[in-house]
């Protein structure tokens, strides 16, 4: 039996109660689908690790519905973090901040910092607000995929990845395909200057413009654990090639303006970089479903969200 439910007032309320009762709820956000659990419930969080087959010392982002909850989870918040929050939340951005006592080791991976995000998706916000109205303080949610694999951008993809391990009290909320399609930008805000730990739709230029600060990249934050920062990550089963010419039967992804080489199987032809980001993971999943072994990708030009596309594809290709 499938645990997928369309997002309605009723199902979202049921999902909020399910979270409070220690169950898992996979839910849509504008970036990718998250696998949520009550951020205060150790047993529920342990199930996230189990279901995702994720090493236990990796931290999980806490999702909240409004800025009012920031100070429950984080302290010593620099002014530039408020500037970022005001500009880009709700949105595809996660801030890493010094934690309060509320953020337990089981959610921070034993580190002294917590990752916070307010997603920009109406159903996600309804779920988070519903959960908070029942007394919850935050929903811990990594991407709803097996560790190291592609993040899901549809409810069906969540079901294919994790459905078998769900109990009948766990829920997958279907809110359609994610609009951004790549995981949030992660910004370490514990030092004088912001440091980008994972690129995303909130770009370096946007961060510098919003804060009036230059980004830093040479301080302690490089040492914190962030699985998205492993060199090999975000991988489909197919091998990805960023150069070379596909043979007949190989998959091919490029902007619409690039012609499909003879015999190659066109998996996606996005009009622009934003659409490229939105459909990339879906297209790579299609390759796996069709047992295509090799996918040739023509990268978009660097800049804007392409930086994140190129980052993810670089990790997907790495076989070291
Ligand atoms: O777009 C997203 O960020 C999605 C949606 C569901 O919100 N979530 C997501 O979670 O991509 P995950 O766990 O797959 O990747 C989150 C990254 C991980 O690399 C994790 O290590 C890092 O955020 N992270 C979370 N909390 C952290 C913390 N306290 N300190 C350092 N890194 C943290
Ligand atoms: Mg992930």
């Amino acid at each position: 039996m499938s645990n997928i439910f369309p997002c309605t007032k009723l199902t979202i309320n049921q999902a909020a109660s399910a979270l409070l009762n220690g169950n898992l709820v996979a839910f849509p956000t504008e970036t990718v689908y998250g696998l949520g659990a009550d951020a205060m419930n150790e047993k529920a969080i342990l199930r996230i690790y189990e279901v995702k087959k994720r090493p236990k010392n990796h931290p999980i982002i806490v999702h909240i519905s409004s800025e009012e909850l920031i100070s429950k989870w984080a302290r010593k918040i620099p002014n530039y973090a408020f500037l970022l929050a005001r500009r880009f939340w709700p949105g595809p951005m996660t801030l890493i901040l010094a934690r309060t006592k509320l953020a337990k080791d089981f959610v921070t991976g034993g580190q002294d910092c917590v990752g916070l995000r307010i997603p920009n998706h109406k159903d996600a916000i309804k779920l988070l607000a519903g959960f908070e109205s029942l007394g919850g303080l935050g929903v811990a949610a990594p991407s709803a995929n097996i560790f190291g694999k592609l993040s899901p951008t549809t409810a069906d993809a969540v079901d294919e990845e994790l459905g078998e391990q769900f109990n009948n009290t766990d829920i997958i909320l279907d809110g359609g395909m994610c609009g951004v399609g790549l995981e949030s930008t992660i910004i370490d805000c514990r030092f004088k200057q912001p440091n980008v730990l994972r690129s995303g739709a909130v770009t370096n230029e946007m961060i510098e413009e919003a804060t009036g600060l230059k980004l830093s990249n040479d301080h302690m934050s490089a040492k914190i654990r962030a699985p998205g920062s492993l060199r090999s990550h975000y991988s489909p089963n197919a091998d990805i090639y960023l150069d070379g010419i596909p043979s007949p039967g190989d998959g091919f992804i490029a902007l619409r303006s690039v012609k499909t080489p003879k015999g190659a199987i066109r998996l996606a032809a996005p009009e622009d970089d934003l659409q490229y980001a939105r459909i990339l993971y879906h297209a790579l999943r299609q390759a796996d479903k069709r047992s295509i072994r090799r996918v040739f990708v023509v990268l978009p030009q660097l800049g804007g969200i392409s930086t994140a596309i190129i980052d993810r594809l670089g990790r997907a290709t790495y076989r070291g």
Side-chain angles (χ1 to χ4, degrees):
M1 194 198 76
S2 164
N3 301 30
I4 305 183
F5 299 93
C7 287
T8 64
K9 206 171 168 195
L10 180 70
T11 57
I12 291 174
N13 286 341
Q14 285 170 339
S17 306
L19 285 170
L20 206 72
N21 292 330
N23 298 296
L24 300 184
V25 173
F27 62 98
T29 80
E30 80 280 34
T31 58
V32 300
Y33 273 72
L35 177 62
D38 179 353
M40 305 290 292
N41 183 332
E42 182 166 19
K43 242 171 102 183
I45 303 278
L46 284 177
R47 271 202 65 222
I48 289 187
Y49 286 101
E50 216 173 273
V51 165
K52 270 186 68 88
K53 302 187 171 65
R54 185 181 192 175
K56 290 221 174 55
N57 58 359
H58 284 296
I60 303 181
I61 299 170
V62 177
H63 297 70
I64 52 180
S65 79
S66 79
E67 268 194 48
E68 278 155 47
L69 282 171
I70 302 178
S71 58
K72 288 254 180 230
W73 292 97
R75 60 195 178 88
K76 292 204 266 182
I77 304 164
N79 191 48
Y80 73 79
F82 284 115
L83 292 175
L84 289 169
R86 254 157 239 156
R87 179 73 72 92
F88 301 118
W89 274 347
M93 175 185 79
T94 297
L95 300 183
I96 305 295
L97 296 159
R99 68 171 167 176
T100 61
K101 285 201 179 111
L102 209 60
K104 300 281 193 279
D105 283 350
F106 55 77
V107 106
T108 71
Q111 302 177 111
D112 277 339
C113 49
V114 63
L116 290 181
R117 179 158 112 81
I118 304 180
N120 184 17
H121 189 290
K122 67 176 183 357
D123 298 317
I125 290 292
K126 282 183 196 158
L127 174 69
L128 297 170
F131 177 68
E132 289 158 17
S133 73
L134 297 173
L137 290 171
V139 174
S143 51
N145 52 281
I146 301 289
F147 181 68
K149 295 291 178 187
L150 294 171
S151 298
T153 53
T154 64
D156 285 338
V158 176
D159 196 30
E160 285 157 21
E161 280 275 313
L162 307 176
E164 271 181 14
Q165 299 172 75
F166 275 16
N167 300 331
N168 55 13
T169 45
D170 299 324
I171 291 174
I172 301 173
L173 285 177
D174 186 349
M177 193 167 188
C178 301
V180 174
L182 293 179
E183 304 81 357
S184 62
T185 307
I186 303 182
I187 310 168
D188 188 348
C189 298
R190 293 173 305 148
F191 301 92
K192 280 211 177 90
Q193 292 156 279
N195 187 19
V196 175
L197 302 181
R198 181 173 73 183
S199 52
V202 173
T203 63
N204 292 357
E205 302 79 46
M206 289 158 76
I207 299 166
E208 290 188 338
E209 197 268 320
T211 60
L213 295 170
K214 282 263 158 248
L215 296 177
S216 118
N217 53 16
D218 63 341
H219 57 56
M220 291 296 290
S221 68
K223 289 194 180 145
I224 65 178
R225 274 187 300 273
S229 62
L230 295 177
R231 282 192 70 187
S232 168
H233 214 72
Y234 311 110
S235 310
N237 298 330
D239 287 337
I240 309 279
Y241 294 84
L242 301 182
D243 47 31
I245 297 163
S247 302
D250 288 337
F252 185 67
I253 298 175
L255 283 168
R256 175 144 304 184
S257 50
V258 183
K259 261 176 71 184
T260 312
K262 209 162 175 235
I265 301 165
R266 188 76 181 220
L267 294 165
E271 298 281 359
D272 54 31
D273 294 355
L274 288 176
Q275 200 183 25
Y276 200 130
R278 191 175 309 137
I279 62 181
L280 177 64
Y281 287 165
H282 186 70
L284 292 174
R285 272 181 195 278
Q286 295 314 307
D288 285 351
K289 272 196 184 164
R290 295 166 70 175
S291 302
I292 294 171
R293 307 305 309 235
R294 309 197 312 164
V295 178
F296 287 73
V297 178
V298 180
L299 294 174
Q301 294 289 316
L302 199 65
I305 197 164
S306 304
T307 307
I309 297 174
I310 293 165
D311 167 69
R312 303 307 193 275
L313 283 168
R315 292 175 206 279
T317 353
Y318 185 72
R319 293 177 200 95

